[in-house]
Amino acid sequence: MTESDGITYDTNTVSRVVVDTNVVISGLRSSRGTSFRLLELIGRRQFEIALSVPLVFEYEDVLKRQSEELGLTAEDVEALLDYWCSVAHLQEIHFLWRPALRDPKDDHLLELAVASGSGRIITHNVRDFVQSASWGVVATTPREFLKGLGVTK
């Protein structure tokens, strides 16, 4: 076990995490930051992402709306989402606890984290997920998460 910023990581098991859309967009905008590094590691067995139908639709909607700015084609977006779906833990959600968070638009991320057994939501808006701790889910930044894994940029 290792500890980083008060977060304990079991180095013998792969962590399952939920990645907020703001991290995806940040990582695709710049290849110089920790969000990009996190996206590079998806599918490499250092952690596992959890996906639900609502989250994949959210990723698709945002990525396609910003595709020109991100330098992506619609086909690039589809290929990226297809890859993530092929390596992710795919989770159905059969319950709704809305509203549970400060921003109700984030509730589906908390629901996914709880249903999938993910201990973390990776986000740049940690303050929006303060209440997630009462559900056993910790919100961390990409930098904090990668530091806990022992991965540096």
Side-chain angles (χ1 to χ4, degrees):
M1 294 240 193
T2 62
E3 188 170 315
S4 172
D5 297 329
I7 303 165
T8 303
Y9 296 84
D10 184 345
T11 54
N12 296 320
T13 62
V14 175
S15 296
R16 182 174 296 151
V17 301
V18 173
V19 179
D20 196 351
T21 306
N22 61 44
V23 173
V24 172
I25 295 301
S26 178
L28 293 174
R29 278 196 177 137
S30 172
S31 62
R32 297 170 36 147
T34 54
S35 294
F36 179 79
R37 181 67 178 135
L38 182 94
L39 297 182
E40 277 188 319
L41 294 174
I42 291 175
R44 297 200 182 165
R45 299 183 184 253
Q46 290 176 290
F47 61 91
E48 178 182 46
I49 61 169
L51 292 176
S52 64
V53 170
L55 184 55
V56 172
F57 282 154
E58 180 177 303
Y59 286 169
E60 180 180 38
D61 177 55
V62 173
L63 291 173
K64 284 186 175 178
R65 275 191 283 121
Q66 297 185 23
S67 62
E68 189 174 319
E69 178 185 327
L70 296 169
L72 300 173
T73 65
E75 293 78 20
D76 294 334
V77 171
E78 293 296 329
L80 181 62
L81 295 175
D82 286 347
Y83 173 70
W84 287 346
C85 288
S86 76
V87 298
H89 171 83
L90 304 176
Q91 181 68 48
E92 290 184 29
I93 299 173
H94 299 285
F95 44 82
L96 298 173
W97 303 315
R98 300 190 182 186
L101 297 173
R102 187 168 94 172
D103 182 353
K105 292 179 184 175
D106 291 330
D107 283 339
H108 73 100
L109 297 173
L110 176 58
E111 292 167 350
L112 173 58
V114 172
S116 67
S118 299
R120 293 172 188 79
I121 296 173
I122 312 301
T123 183
H124 288 294
N125 299 327
V126 173
R127 289 183 305 204
D128 289 347
F129 292 92
V130 171
Q131 298 98 325
S132 69
S134 64
W135 297 93
V137 177
V138 177
T140 62
T141 65
R143 180 178 313 281
E144 291 168 337
F145 180 69
L146 292 178
K147 185 176 176 185
L149 288 178
V151 177
T152 57
K153 175 73 176 124

